[in-house]
Amino acid sequence: MSDQRFIIEMGMGNDLHGMDYQKAARRAIEDAIRHSTLPIFHSTGIDFSEMRVAVTIGVQEPEALDCAALAEGLPRGRATVTAVRGGQNVTNPETGETLVIATAAVEAFLPDQSAQWRASAG
């Protein structure tokens, strides 16, 4: 049985003074998560452990991220984090300081529930 995506949220995070890609990525994930709630679990009795979470983080230097540490920070589900080139680095011309902007797409998947939902709808 294949998984079905039931939510996708986007977020943005930054580090304004430390050029810390990890911090910006963590903030982008937190931003995306703050935009959603998942009442489906309480409504249906599905356990959170059945949820697979796939996060894609875009930063200018994806190799600078510790994806395993970012995945451990997710509050629910079985999470994976993939880093890709994206986001932005913006340099302040007055100070030479680089501001790091990260973007995140957080997708959540469940095993196909259509058979159970059809059976309970009657």
Side-chain angles (χ1 to χ4, degrees), residues 68-90:
L70 291 169
E72 288 175 11
L74 286 152
R76 303 228 188 321
R78 301 177 323 277
T80 58
V81 175
T82 303
V84 299
R85 186 162 165 75
Q88 288 185 344
N89 284 354
V90 179

Side-chain angles (χ1 to χ4, degrees), residues 51-70:
M51 180 174 60
R52 180 174 60 86
V53 179
V55 178
T56 304
I57 295 287
V59 292
Q60 286 292 296
E61 295 183 24
E63 65 280 357
L65 294 182
D66 181 347
C67 292
L70 291 169

Side-chain angles (χ1 to χ4, degrees), residues 4-11 28-29 31-38 51-57 103-110:
Q4 293 180 309
R5 183 175 59 192
F6 68 96
I7 193 168
I8 182 169
E9 288 290 345
M10 283 67 65
I29 293 169
D31 182 51
I33 290 172
R34 279 192 205 101
H35 293 144
S36 63
T37 184
L38 302 174
M51 180 174 60
R52 180 174 60 86
V53 179
V55 178
T56 304
I57 295 287
T103 57
V106 178
E107 300 173 89
F109 299 81
L110 282 174

Side-chain angles (χ1 to χ4, degrees), residues 3 7 12 19 41 49 53 64 72 75 79 88 101 113-114 119 121:
D3 287 349
I7 193 168
M12 189 274 301
M19 202 171 169
F41 293 98
S49 66
V53 179
E72 288 175 11
Q88 288 185 344
I101 302 169
Q113 302 293 312
S114 59

Side-chain angles (χ1 to χ4, degrees), residues 34-50:
R34 279 192 205 101
H35 293 144
S36 63
T37 184
L38 302 174
I40 188 172
F41 293 98
H42 298 292
S43 300
T44 62
I46 297 170
D47 190 270
F48 283 109
S49 66
E50 292 190 49

